[in-house]
């Protein structure tokens, strides 16, 4: 007998009433996706873990302020991206590495934090070219303004709809579209030398 999963809305209501079980379930549901978006923005595993933890601290401390008219996922991603953008601004992070986090110590950590572009049909030379291309794309994304970077990653990596990105970033829909358009243009200009 399969139990129907409890909705985010119901879990939030329970959490607002002080249910630790509801808090734990929300954490279980969103820990990985929140870490993932933060990590993709900064490519630093340890810092991403810290920012994810801070996100959940803020979420649970302000759960009473959650507006149920919006998706809970949008609210939590909004908190995560705002924290990350603020961190990026403070650190003035300029690039990200396709080879993995610069803070990775072991080869497993390097592999776990690396972006891999692989095709079964590629020979070693093509694999090297794909890796170099991926590295240039990652560096170009890393040079975007934090707001553009967040919008591009939410749209093209996370696959979020424009309206949800607007909710996550607490911006008008037109501004989100502008950020994505400008981010794409900057990427196109930065990567124009790759065009054949």
């Amino acid at each position: 007998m399969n139990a129907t999963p409890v909705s985010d809305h119901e879990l939030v209501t329970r959490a607002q009433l002080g249910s630790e079980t509801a808090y734990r379930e929300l954490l279980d549901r969103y820990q990985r996706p929140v870490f993932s978006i933060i990590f993709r923005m900064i490519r630093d595993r340890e810092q991403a873990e810290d920012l994810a933890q801070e996100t959940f601290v803020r979420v649970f401390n302000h759960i009473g302020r959650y507006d149920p008219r919006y998706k809970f996922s949008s609210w939590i991603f909004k908190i995560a991206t705002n924290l990350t953008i603020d961190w990026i601004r403070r650190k003035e992070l300029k690039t990200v590495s396709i080879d993995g986090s610069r803070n990775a110590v072991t080869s497993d950590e390097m592999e776990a934090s690396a972006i891999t572009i692989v095709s079964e049909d590629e020979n070693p030379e093509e694999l090297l070219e794909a890796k170099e291309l991926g590295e240039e794309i990652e560096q170009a994304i890393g040079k975007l303004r934090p707001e553009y970077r967040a919008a591009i990653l939410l749209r093209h990596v996370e696959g979020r709809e424009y309206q949800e990105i607007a909710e996550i970033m607490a911006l008008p829909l037109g501004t989100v579209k502008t950020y994505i358009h400008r981010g794409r243009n900057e990427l196109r200009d930065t990567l124009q030398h790759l065009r054949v």
Side-chain angles (χ1 to χ4, degrees), residues 178-196:
T178 298
Y179 282 2
I180 291 172
H181 177 75
R182 288 180 180 167
R184 286 177 184 154
N185 284 344
E186 284 186 23
L187 289 173
R188 191 175 300 117
D189 291 345
T190 302
L191 299 170
Q192 70 182 356
H193 65 281
L194 299 176
R195 293 184 182 171
V196 179

Side-chain angles (χ1 to χ4, degrees), residues 1-189:
M1 185 167 127
N2 292 337
T4 305
V6 179
S7 71
D8 285 352
H9 180 73
E10 179 62 29
L11 284 174
V12 170
T13 302
R14 292 178 190 174
Q16 288 172 331
L17 295 172
S19 168
E20 285 190 34
T21 305
Y23 280 117
R24 254 184 269 117
E25 177 63 27
L26 288 169
L27 179 63
D28 288 345
R29 283 186 189 183
Y30 287 99
Q31 190 169 16
R32 175 174 262 158
V34 164
F35 171 81
S36 178
I37 188 65
I38 294 170
F39 182 72
R40 285 182 173 137
M41 289 178 73
I42 65 173
R43 305 297 297 169
D44 179 327
R45 181 169 295 284
E46 187 175 321
Q47 187 59 49
E49 288 171 355
D50 289 347
L51 288 168
Q53 183 176 359
E54 177 63 20
T55 297
F56 284 102
V57 167
R58 290 192 185 190
V59 164
F60 294 143
N61 284 341
H62 298 84
I63 197 100
R65 295 184 191 169
Y66 166 68
D67 184 345
R69 291 178 299 165
Y70 302 102
K71 289 169 58 175
F72 180 74
S73 62
S74 297
W75 187 62
I76 196 167
F77 284 126
K78 174 182 174 179
I79 293 169
T81 55
N82 285 343
L83 273 171
T84 307
I85 288 170
D86 289 345
W87 183 85
I88 291 169
R89 285 183 180 144
R90 283 192 307 272
K91 296 297 179 183
E92 296 182 359
L93 187 64
K94 298 296 182 193
T95 61
V96 291
S97 171
I98 195 165
D99 294 320
S101 170
R102 63 189 178 282
N103 297 318
V105 177
T106 67
S107 60
D108 287 344
E109 288 175 352
M110 288 294 284
E111 185 177 332
S113 62
I115 293 178
T116 309
I117 301 171
V118 177
S119 166
E120 298 298 322
D121 301 331
E122 293 175 331
N123 63 37
E125 185 177 317
E126 290 169 331
L127 285 172
L128 179 61
E129 288 174 7
K131 182 174 179 170
E132 289 171 354
L133 173 63
E135 186 173 316
E136 287 199 51
I137 292 169
E138 285 297 312
Q139 288 176 351
I141 291 171
K143 291 177 183 175
L144 293 175
R145 283 177 44 181
E147 298 85 357
Y148 295 180
R149 187 184 318 171
I152 291 285
L153 289 170
L154 286 166
R155 178 70 181 141
H156 295 292
V157 176
E158 293 289 320
R160 305 283 172 179
E161 297 296 324
Y162 287 103
Q163 186 59 49
E164 187 175 2
I165 297 169
E167 291 170 15
I168 289 169
M169 296 184 72
L171 295 169
L173 182 60
T175 303
V176 166
K177 289 180 177 179
T178 298
Y179 282 2
I180 291 172
H181 177 75
R182 288 180 180 167
R184 286 177 184 154
N185 284 344
E186 284 186 23
L187 289 173
R188 191 175 300 117
D189 291 345

